[in-house]
């Protein structure tokens, strides 16, 4: 039995699927205009992990996660690069999927593109206008927030916070400052489609309402995304989908449960493109096996912040190395193929691990249990537990030989030398605590330093 924190009810609940034979989940996907950073990857890996768990426990799961391929940021990127928009979106969709695959994230069952669902969006907007929840003004169509008595139900935001949080420029054609755009006009050189309101393009929020309904039907079980999307994006999705179907007061008529992942941070601050404090998956993967990155992303509970550091990566690399080493030692043990059903696999997964995952995806506890397994089990029992747990977690999918054959630990010599220089300066200034902190930072990167007569030397530990 799965229990998790439902953002809609603001409490931990038992998961009761609408149809126990077919679980349906939607998670907001990326806007494709540049490389995904590790923070974006956290959302992808978390929802991939939920999908993996659900697939182990229910006979059928449909997991939908979209590609936002029409957005102003994409238009700007295309203009800067001097190439057509499609070139940008196709290139970065492929890079995104390749990067996420290297982190063990399976492709969702459906990965709908916004530009292929313009007709569905127009139909939904028409329904909203027909029910007086939206209005046309100067080529725009806006959702009228005061027309929805339940608006704020997901985020719990008050009316004042809604207006402030919507961060909308005061547009003269708006009836209410909280109203948001469903459709906006495009000029000839911008992407656009013919609509009852002229040549234009959809707002961002309506995409997910239209694509979730088309590919999952309403209501569906779980809607997910990063905590930053709860307001306004998810709040607006609820408003659009419920009001278009004349169910304004029934938020569960869209998605029964909502799951939000916490932020990945750098020195306590959210990793984001706008702050410039981001690391792309593309770069991190050069130095660490994708499974190490995945394990690190899962090392904190998904709702808690996860502070990204070399130390965290290194620690998880040590654990993964240990697991692969054990698998290598057990390589001569033959595992008979299992019947092709999940139940047989689930049986091989230690109960404590399954229970931890079913308890709001408690992955930190799972990592502790993995360590315990190495001490407590052996032989066939251990190998089975590792292989089938690995399958559930998206790790241990490689031949140990291949895992160890690639030297991902290529060191960043410039960084090491900069840190050694920093430590020398600290020592010269008699700042011994500072010098020790740098030594620890290097150790966290797997680098041990030695002071010799000829200066400071370093080696990999
Ligand atoms: P964006 O490309 O900014 O629309 O984000 C795509 C997905 O990544 C969304 O689900 C965001 O909530 C998520 N996301 C972005 N930054 C972070 C972060 N620092 N930590 C966790 N999730 C994030
Ligand atoms: Zn969305």
């Amino acid at each position: 039995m799965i229990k998790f924190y439902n953002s809609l009810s603001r409490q931990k609940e038992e998961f009761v699927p609408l149809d126990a034979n077919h679980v349906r989940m939607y998670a907001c996907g990326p806007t494709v205009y540049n490389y995904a950073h590790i923070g974006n990857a956290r959302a992808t890996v978390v929802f991939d992990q939920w999908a993996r768990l659900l697939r182990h426990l229910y006979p059928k799961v449909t997991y939908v996660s979209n590609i936002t391929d029409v957005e102003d940021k994409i238009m700007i990127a295309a203009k800067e690069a001097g190439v057509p928009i499609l070139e940008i979106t196709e290139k970065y969709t492929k890079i995104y999927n390749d990067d996420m695959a290297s982190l063990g994230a399976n492709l969702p069952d459906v990965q709908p593109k916004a530009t292929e669902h313009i007709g569905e969006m127009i139909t939904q907007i028409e329904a909203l206008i027909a029910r007086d929840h939206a209005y046309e003004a100067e080529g725009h169509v806006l959702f009228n927030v005061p027309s929805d008595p339940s608006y704020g139900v997901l985020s719990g935001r008050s009316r004042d916070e809604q207006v402030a949080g919507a961060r909308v420029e005061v547009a003269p054609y708006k009836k209410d400052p909280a109203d948001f755009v469903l459709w906006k006009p495009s000029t000839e050189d911008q992407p656009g489609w013919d609509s009852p309101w002229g040549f234009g393009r959809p707002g961002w929020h309506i995409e997910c309402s239209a694509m979730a309904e088309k590919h999952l039907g309403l209501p569906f079980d779980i809607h997910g995304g990063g905590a930053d999307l709860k307001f306004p994006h998810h709040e607006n999705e609820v408003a659009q989908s419920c009001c278009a179907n004349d169910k304004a007061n029934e938020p569960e008529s869209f998605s029964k449960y909502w799951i939000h992942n916490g932020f990945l941070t750098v020195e306590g601050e959210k990793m984001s493109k706008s702050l410039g404090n981001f690391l792309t998956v593309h770069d991190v993967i050069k130095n660490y096996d994708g499974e190490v990155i995945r394990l690190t992303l899962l090392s904190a509970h998904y709702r808690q912040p996860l502070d990204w550091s070399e130390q965290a990566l290194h620690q998880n690399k040590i654990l993964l190395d240990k697991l692969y080493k054990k698998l290598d030692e057990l390589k001569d043990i033959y595992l008979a193929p299992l019947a092709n059903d999940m139940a047989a696999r689930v049986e091989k997964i230690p109960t404590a691990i399954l229970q931890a995952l079913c308890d709001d995806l408690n992955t930190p506890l799972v990592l502790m249990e993995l360590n315990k397994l190495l001490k407590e089990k052996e032989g066939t029992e251990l190998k089975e537990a590792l292989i089938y747990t690995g399958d559930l977690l998206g790790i241990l999918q490689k031949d140990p030989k291949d895992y160890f054959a690639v030297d991902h630990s290529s060191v960043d010599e410039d960084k090491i030398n900069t840190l050694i220089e920093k430590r020398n300066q600290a020592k010269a200034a008699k700042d011994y605590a500072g010098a020790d902190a740098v030594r620890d930072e290097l150790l966290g990167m797997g680098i041990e330093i030695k002071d010799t007569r000829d200066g400071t030397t370093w080696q990999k530990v």
Side-chain angles (χ1 to χ4, degrees):
M1 184 229 292
I2 296 182
K3 276 188 172 180
F4 60 75
Y5 182 85
N6 176 10
S7 312
L8 182 59
S9 65
R10 295 175 190 66
Q11 58 191 4
K12 205 163 158 180
E13 282 182 45
E14 187 182 322
F15 174 56
V16 183
L18 293 154
D19 172 0
N21 288 316
H22 184 190
V23 173
R24 291 162 296 147
M25 177 167 81
Y26 185 94
C28 296
T31 305
V32 280
Y33 66 103
N34 57 14
Y35 288 95
H37 62 66
I38 290 283
N40 304 134
R42 185 179 196 195
T44 313
V45 166
V46 161
F47 290 101
D48 173 71
Q49 193 54 57
W50 273 116
R52 282 171 182 268
L53 178 64
L54 291 166
R55 282 187 215 290
H56 273 70
L57 303 178
Y58 292 95
K60 183 176 174 198
V61 174
T62 301
Y63 171 38
V64 179
S65 186
N66 66 296
I67 294 284
T68 296
D69 60 350
V70 51
E71 231 262 5
D72 290 1
K73 282 180 250 175
I74 304 175
M75 278 167 21
I76 295 166
K79 206 171 231 166
E80 274 173 8
V83 297
I85 283 175
L86 194 64
E87 201 168 302
I88 295 282
T89 54
E90 283 185 347
K91 172 179 169 186
Y92 287 107
T93 300
K94 181 171 184 328
I95 290 174
Y96 174 81
N97 283 336
D98 288 349
D99 283 349
M100 296 308 132
S102 65
L103 304 187
N106 294 318
L107 266 183
D109 300 292
V110 190
Q111 189 176 49
K113 294 190 172 88
T115 52
E116 291 171 5
H117 296 77
I118 303 294
E120 286 84 352
M121 295 183 218
I122 290 176
T123 304
Q124 215 167 43
I125 296 171
E126 284 178 322
L128 287 167
I129 294 175
R131 298 187 195 286
D132 279 337
H133 288 295
Y135 58 96
E136 186 188 356
E138 296 179 27
H140 293 71
V141 182
L142 291 122
F143 184 93
N144 185 222
V145 168
S147 77
D148 176 7
S150 284
Y151 193 83
V153 66
L154 177 65
S155 60
R157 290 205 182 208
S158 68
R159 163 91 189 147
D160 284 351
E161 289 168 328
Q162 286 163 20
V163 174
R167 268 190 265 116
V168 279
E169 74 276 31
V170 186
Y173 48 80
K174 275 189 185 181
K175 286 189 186 166
D176 186 274
D179 291 354
F180 59 88
V181 167
L182 300 170
W183 187 265
K184 55 188 161 193
S186 292
T187 55
E188 280 305 316
D189 60 339
Q190 290 175 327
W193 292 262
D194 288 326
S195 80
W197 320 287
F199 185 70
R201 60 192 190 278
W204 171 39
H205 314 299
I206 195 75
E207 315 177 353
C208 288
S209 280
M211 292 189 277
E213 180 165 351
K214 162 129 193 232
H215 295 286
L216 293 173
L218 298 191
F220 54 92
D221 295 295
I222 300 171
H223 193 312
D228 53 339
L229 301 186
K230 201 188 283 180
F231 187 89
H233 184 53
H234 290 162
E235 191 71 65
N236 293 353
E237 283 186 42
V238 175
Q240 293 161 162
S241 294
C242 296
C243 290
N245 292 297
D246 220 3
K247 294 189 173 164
N249 286 315
E250 297 168 53
E252 289 185 8
S253 68
F254 177 44
S255 177
K256 186 174 178 190
Y257 303 93
W258 286 79
I259 297 180
H260 290 96
N261 66 278
F263 294 142
L264 187 128
T265 56
V266 183
E267 287 165 4
E269 249 188 318
K270 181 189 171 199
M271 181 180 281
S272 77
K273 278 166 196 153
S274 52
L275 286 175
N277 61 348
F278 64 92
L279 291 167
T280 63
V281 176
H282 211 65
D283 280 337
V284 182
I285 205 92
K286 290 177 191 157
N287 293 326
Y288 288 91
D289 190 288
E291 291 189 2
V292 173
I293 302 172
R294 182 180 179 97
L295 207 58
T296 309
L297 287 170
L298 294 174
S299 63
H301 187 257
Y302 76 93
R303 283 194 288 112
Q304 299 300 321
L306 164 61
D307 209 45
W308 196 254
S309 67
E310 283 286 331
Q311 280 96 320
L313 273 164
H314 191 66
Q315 239 176 24
N316 286 286
K317 181 180 177 307
I318 290 172
L319 172 59
L320 198 66
D321 283 358
K322 225 163 44 171
L323 294 168
Y324 267 115
K325 194 158 159 278
K326 189 48 88 177
L327 274 183
D328 194 40
E329 285 166 25
L330 300 171
K331 65 175 176 290
D332 294 331
I333 294 180
Y334 172 74
L335 295 189
L338 292 180
N340 198 18
D341 66 31
M342 273 298 182
R345 289 168 167 263
V346 169
E347 244 172 61
K348 304 287 183 190
I349 299 167
T351 315
I353 288 182
L354 217 47
Q355 273 175 353
L357 287 173
C358 288
D359 183 12
D360 205 9
L361 212 68
N362 190 344
T363 50
L365 184 55
V366 170
L367 299 202
M368 279 167 61
E369 291 294 335
L370 275 172
N371 265 308
K372 238 164 76 185
L373 266 189
L374 293 178
K375 293 190 196 110
E376 292 174 358
K377 288 196 196 291
E378 53 187 29
T380 307
E381 211 192 348
L382 176 57
K383 184 162 179 177
E384 281 182 340
L386 290 178
I387 293 286
Y388 295 111
T389 301
D391 192 39
L392 169 58
L393 293 177
I395 57 169
L396 302 177
Q397 302 297 292
K398 299 172 183 164
D399 187 318
K401 246 193 357 261
D402 297 335
Y403 174 79
F404 286 113
V406 183
D407 183 12
H408 279 282
S409 59
S410 63
V411 290
D412 184 344
E413 290 200 26
D414 285 346
K415 187 166 177 192
I416 294 169
N417 289 330
T418 308
L419 284 172
I420 288 177
E421 180 56 27
K422 189 171 153 195
R423 177 169 168 270
N424 288 341
Q425 283 169 7
K427 279 205 318 192
K430 299 202 173 1
D431 171 14
Y432 298 111
D436 285 348
V438 177
R439 177 192 283 271
D440 289 346
E441 188 177 347
L442 282 159
L443 256 184
M445 293 160 57
I447 300 297
E448 192 175 47
I449 50 175
K450 262 204 194 102
D451 293 315
T452 70
R453 257 183 302 164
D454 302 327
T456 308
T457 61
W458 60 266
Q459 63 176 32
K460 282 200 269 175
V461 280

